[in-house]
């Protein structure tokens, strides 16, 4: 199950998963992207290579 990143408010970002609901809420998009990668690996069991 892939999670999605949604824009909330002016500077906020939310990480949502259809299985787990709201996973995280941060102002820093890069933090949310890291959380999304880790969450999706956990939720789907798929490992993705780190992006440089």
């Amino acid at each position: 199950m892939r999670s999605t990143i949604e824009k909330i408010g002016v500077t906020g970002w939310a990480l949502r998963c259809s299985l787990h609901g709201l996973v995280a809420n941060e102002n820093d998009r890069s933090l949310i992207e890291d959380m999304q990668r880790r969450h999706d690996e956990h939720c789907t069991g798929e490992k993705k290579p780190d992006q440089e």
Side-chain angles (χ1 to χ4, degrees):
M1 190 82 37
R2 293 270 310 152
S3 57
T4 59
I5 297 175
E6 300 174 5
K7 179 109 171 98
I8 54 173
V10 177
T11 61
W13 299 96
L15 179 61
R16 293 188 188 276
C17 172
S18 58
L19 183 62
H20 296 110
L22 180 64
V23 177
N25 180 8
E26 291 286 340
N27 286 338
D28 187 342
R29 169 91 189 207
S30 63
L31 266 177
I32 287 288
E33 289 169 350
D34 287 342
M35 289 178 193
Q36 180 184 39
R37 183 175 44 82
R38 286 194 303 271
H39 175 269
D40 289 350
E41 286 174 1
H42 166 77
C43 201
T44 65
E46 296 175 8
K47 285 248 182 209
K48 295 202 169 144
D50 289 337
Q51 293 180 350
E52 303 272 334

